[in-house]
Amino acid sequence: EYLLNLPANLSKKYCKFRTGNTKLPIETGRWFNIPRENRICKLCNSKDIGDEFHYLLKCTDAVIQNSRIQNLSKYYQSNPNVIKFENLFNVTKKKELVKICKFLYIIIERVNSPG
């Protein structure tokens, strides 16, 4: 249903993120046989694995943090866990979906930007 409620450019980013079709370290590391524990986020100093959960709810990169504050409700920002992560991908309200997609766009652009 979210595909029908979103503009095409946003639904494309949302689908890519949900299906793991991104260039996050968790994915690119798999392409090069890098052990999972070494596929860490290169944007922050947390040494966490650079997966969808990390970037959506935990990454301390300033650009991502600011976008998280602007686009996600405080519920998702405090005490992140797998249940909140799952709930985030079950949002059906168009206004919330658009904000999530804007945040995903920032994450993807930030991860893919050089330097």
Side-chain angles (χ1 to χ4, degrees), residues 30-55:
R30 188 169 44 107
W31 304 338
F32 299 105
N33 294 319
I34 296 171
R36 189 173 197 284
E37 63 274 7
N38 294 336
R39 302 177 201 171
I40 62 169
C41 174
K42 293 174 178 50
L43 300 177
C44 69
N45 297 322
S46 69
K47 304 224 187 297
D48 284 345
I49 292 175
D51 61 5
E52 291 83 357
F53 179 83
H54 171 77
Y55 289 106

Side-chain angles (χ1 to χ4, degrees), residues 2-17 101:
Y2 61 85
L3 292 175
L4 303 174
N5 288 329
L6 292 169
N9 63 330
L10 293 179
S11 63
K12 187 175 179 180
K13 295 287 183 194
Y14 193 68
C15 284
K16 281 185 143 200
F17 208 84
C101 289

Side-chain angles (χ1 to χ4, degrees), residues 41 43-45 58-66 68 110:
C41 174
L43 300 177
C44 69
N45 297 322
K58 294 180 72 182
C59 187
T60 58
D61 174 71
V63 173
I64 291 177
Q65 267 189 318
N66 288 337
R68 184 182 302 121
R110 186 77 177 118

